Amino acid sequence: MIAMVFAIRFLDVARFGTFSSLLAIIGILSKFVDFGIEPIVFREFSKEKENFHLFNSALSLRFLIYVILLVFFNALAPFLGYDAREIILSNILFTTVILSSKTVNIRELLSTPFKVNLKMHYPMTLAVLDNLVLLLLVAFIPFMKDAVLFFVIIYAASNIPGFILSFYYLKKKFDYKFNFTLDRAGWLLKESLPLFGFVILTTIFLQIDVVILNYFKGPYDVGIYSAGVRLTMPLSIIPGAIVTTVFPILMKRMSDQVSSDSLSNLVIKLLYFISFVLAAVFTFESDALVNLIFGSQYAAASLPSSILYWCQIFLFFTFYTLVVLIAKNQQFYNFIYGAIQVVFNVGFNFLLIPKYSFLGASLAKLIASFASFVFILIVISRIGYKPSIGRYKVLVWSFLMCGGLYLLSMLPVIPYLVLSSVYIIILTLAVKLFGEEELLIFFRLVNREELGRRLMKKFHLV
C-alpha cells in the first residue's frame, strides 16, 4: 500500500492510468491460468496434509496454461491494436502471473500447504518482503526518463526474492520437491470448471470497469478511479486471512457432522464489523484522507473511493459464504454469483460511465455488489443456513457508529482518526456487539482461550 501510494504520487494521473489499464487486461487474462484450481486443492489438501501429488499436478497445470496463454497473447496482440511499447510492457507484467502473490496464481497455490498447516506467516512474510523491495525501488522513479517502463519492471522484478524463497520454505518445512506431472489433471479441471467460470467472472467484475472507463474517457479518468481502487484492493487480505484460519476447522466440523453455525455467525459478524468500520471512518473524512495519501491532484477520487469502501461490506460477506459453498461442494452457485456481478457491473458501466465517468464506475460496482449479495442470501437460506448475528443490536451499533463519526469528522483529520479508534472500541464494548460465546470462539481460533477468559473477566465482559 505504501509503495503504491508513492508510485501514484511520482507518476502523474495519466501515466498511472496507463499502467492501471495494462494491469487490468493482464489481470483478466491471468485468470485463465488460475482456472479455479486453488480452492479445490485447498479442500483436498485439508483432508490429506502429507499428500503433495495433487498439489504438483495443479502447479504443473498452471505452468502449462501460462505458457500457452503467453504464446497466444503475443500472437494476437498486434491484431488487437497494441503497439510495440504496449506489448513490451504487457509481457513484463505477464511475469507477475508466475512471480507475484498479487495476481493470486502460482504464489497463491504455493501458499496452500502453509494455509492447511496454519503457518501463513511464511508466505505473508515473503509477500511483505516483495513489497519492501518494491518500496525501495519506487524511490528511484523520479530519476528515470521513462517512469512508466521503470515502474513496470520493478513491479514485476520485486517479486523474484519471494518466489524463490517460497520453494525454499516448502522444502524446509514440508520436505516438498516439485515434480512436473499432469496425473489427475483431468479430474482437477472437471472439479474446478464451475470455479473457473466464477474466477473469470469475478476478475472481469473487478477489472472491467477500468477497461470500459479507459475506452470512454481515457487514461486521466482511469488514473483518478484507480487511485480509489488501490485504496480498497488491499482490503481483500482481511477476509482472506480470516477464511484461511477458519476453513480447515470448518472442513473438520463438516466431516465430523458437527454444526458450524456458531463459527459462521462469528465470522460473518466480524467481517461486517471490520468492513463497516473501514467504510464509515473513511467516508466522513474522505476528502482529507485522499489529499493526505495521494495529494491534491487526486482530489476527485474522494467520492468514488468512498463508494468503493461501502462495496466491501457486501464483498466481505460473500467472500466467506462462497467458501462455505465450496466446502459443501455447491460451487455451481459461485458461478451464478459471478455471472450476476458481471451482468450488473458491465450493464451499469456502459450506462453510467459515459455521463458520470469514474463516479459512474464506482456506482456500477456498488449496484453489482449489492445484487450478488442478495443472490447469495437467497442461496444460503435454501441450503438451510440463515446467519444469526443479532440484527437489532448490529443495527443500533451501526447507527450510533455513523452518528459518532459524523460528529468527530468536524475535527482535523489526525485527531479524527485517533478519537475514532477510541470511540469504536468504547461503543462496541458498551453495546456488547460480540457476545461471550462469540468472544470465546474467537480466542479459540487463535489458541488463546485461557487468555480470553481472563481478559473477559477483567473487563467485566462475562
Side-chain angles (χ1 to χ4, degrees):
M1 182 64 186
I2 297 171
M4 289 304 302
V5 166
F6 279 110
I8 291 170
R9 279 179 168 270
F10 292 147
L11 299 170
D12 60 35
V13 177
R15 288 192 291 185
F16 179 63
T18 299
F19 166 77
S20 298
S21 299
L22 291 174
L23 192 62
I25 296 295
I26 300 303
I28 293 173
L29 293 176
S30 72
K31 293 309 163 184
F32 287 92
V33 178
D34 185 306
F35 211 89
I37 291 171
E38 198 276 337
I40 302 300
V41 176
F42 191 10
R43 185 185 70 192
E44 298 302 314
F45 210 91
S46 297
K47 300 174 185 176
E48 295 183 75
K49 296 182 180 181
E50 307 298 326
N51 189 350
F52 281 92
H53 187 69
L54 184 64
F55 178 78
N56 273 327
S57 293
L59 201 54
S60 301
L61 189 59
R62 280 193 170 175
F63 279 128
L64 181 61
I65 297 173
Y66 170 79
V67 172
I68 295 172
L69 180 66
L70 188 61
V71 170
F72 269 92
F73 172 79
N74 281 283
L76 294 176
F79 301 100
L80 297 176
Y82 281 70
D83 59 31
R85 176 180 168 80
E86 289 174 329
I87 293 175
I88 291 172
L89 294 174
S90 298
N91 274 279
I92 296 171
L93 288 174
F94 248 114
T95 64
T96 62
V97 178
I98 294 288
L99 300 174
S100 177
S101 57
K102 302 178 187 70
T103 56
V104 196
N105 272 296
I106 302 298
R107 288 281 292 274
E108 176 69 7
L109 195 57
L110 292 176
S111 71
T112 302
F114 297 101
K115 288 182 183 179
V116 171
N117 290 280
L118 298 180
K119 295 183 181 293
M120 273 299 289
H121 51 286
Y122 286 99
M124 293 310 300
T125 301
L126 295 180
V128 172
L129 173 63
D130 291 347
N131 290 304
L132 284 174
V133 174
L134 178 62
L135 178 59
L136 292 173
L137 294 174
V138 159
F140 294 95
I141 290 179
F143 306 103
M144 297 298 151
K145 185 176 180 180
D146 191 332
V148 174
L149 176 61
F150 177 75
F151 180 57
V152 166
I153 291 172
I154 64 173
Y155 185 82
S158 60
N159 302 289
I160 295 174
F163 177 74
I164 295 172
L165 288 171
S166 294
F167 283 97
Y168 169 77
Y169 281 109
L170 280 171
K171 173 66 177 175
K172 183 177 180 180
K173 296 298 174 181
F174 309 112
D175 197 29
Y176 168 72
K177 182 179 179 182
F178 173 68
N179 293 308
F180 186 88
T181 176
L182 295 177
D183 186 36
R184 298 194 71 191
W187 177 86
L188 192 56
L189 289 173
K190 181 181 177 182
E191 286 289 306
S192 304
L193 189 58
L195 289 177
F196 170 58
F198 163 69
V199 166
I200 291 292
L201 291 170
T202 299
T203 306
I204 292 174
F205 164 71
L206 293 174
Q207 304 284 0
I208 198 65
D209 43 11
V210 173
V211 178
I212 298 173
L213 185 59
N214 187 56
Y215 174 77
F216 280 112
K217 297 295 182 178
Y220 179 85
D221 292 62
V222 171
I224 294 293
Y225 180 69
S226 295
V229 171
R230 285 290 165 181
L231 281 174
T232 55
M233 185 181 295
L235 299 181
S236 63
I237 194 176
I238 297 172
I242 294 173
V243 169
T244 296
T245 303
V246 169
F247 189 77
I249 302 169
L250 182 66
M251 286 299 300
K252 187 177 188 307
R253 289 192 176 187
M254 290 177 63
S255 63
D256 295 341
Q257 296 184 336
V258 176
S259 174
S260 58
D261 286 355
S262 59
L263 176 63
S264 292
N265 289 337
L266 170 62
V267 172
I268 289 172
K269 185 185 287 188
L270 184 61
L271 291 173
Y272 174 80
F273 170 81
I274 295 171
S275 57
F276 190 92
V277 165
L278 290 170
V281 169
F282 181 86
T283 297
F284 288 110
E285 276 288 10
S286 58
D287 291 338
L289 287 170
V290 167
N291 185 66
L292 180 67
I293 296 169
F294 295 129
S296 58
Q297 61 179 331
Y298 287 92
S302 170
L303 183 54
S305 298
S306 296
I307 295 171
L308 291 174
Y309 264 100
W310 289 104
C311 290
Q312 303 308 309
I313 294 177
F314 308 116
L315 297 176
F316 273 37
F317 173 83
T318 52
F319 194 107
Y320 176 70
T321 49
L322 291 172
V323 170
V324 172
L325 291 173
I326 293 172
K328 292 180 178 290
N329 206 26
Q330 299 286 330
Q331 53 261 36
F332 173 74
Y333 290 113
N334 294 39
F335 175 79
I336 303 299
Y337 163 86
I340 291 172
Q341 278 190 325
V342 169
V343 168
F344 274 84
N345 195 30
V346 171
F348 279 97
N349 270 319
F350 276 104
L351 183 66
L352 298 174
I353 283 178
K355 185 174 182 180
Y356 299 105
S357 186
F358 40 79
L359 178 60
S362 57
L363 287 171
K365 185 155 283 183
L366 180 63
I367 294 168
S369 300
F370 178 74
S372 54
F373 163 77
V374 172
F375 169 74
I376 286 296
L377 280 181
I378 295 171
V379 169
I380 62 174
S381 66
R382 285 185 177 179
I383 65 174
Y385 173 55
K386 296 182 179 180
S388 177
I389 61 172
R391 293 185 181 91
Y392 295 111
K393 185 178 289 188
V394 168
L395 186 62
V396 169
W397 175 86
S398 302
F399 178 78
L400 293 175
M401 179 64 65
C402 288
L405 291 176
Y406 171 74
L407 294 175
L408 290 172
S409 67
M410 298 177 185
L411 299 170
V413 63
I414 300 301
Y416 165 78
L417 292 175
V418 174
L419 293 177
S420 293
S421 302
V422 177
Y423 177 70
I424 291 164
I425 294 171
I426 293 174
L427 177 63
T428 303
L429 294 176
V431 174
K432 293 186 176 180
L433 185 65
F434 296 96
E436 177 184 349
E437 184 59 32
E438 290 173 328
L439 291 173
L440 284 175
I441 292 174
F442 171 77
F443 282 106
R444 286 190 200 114
L445 288 174
V446 294
N447 297 318
R448 293 292 184 273
E449 184 174 351
E450 287 304 316
L451 175 62
R453 289 185 184 277
R454 290 199 299 270
L455 290 174
M456 291 167 64
K457 186 176 181 179
K458 181 178 180 179
F459 293 101
H460 307 290
L461 299 176
V462 294

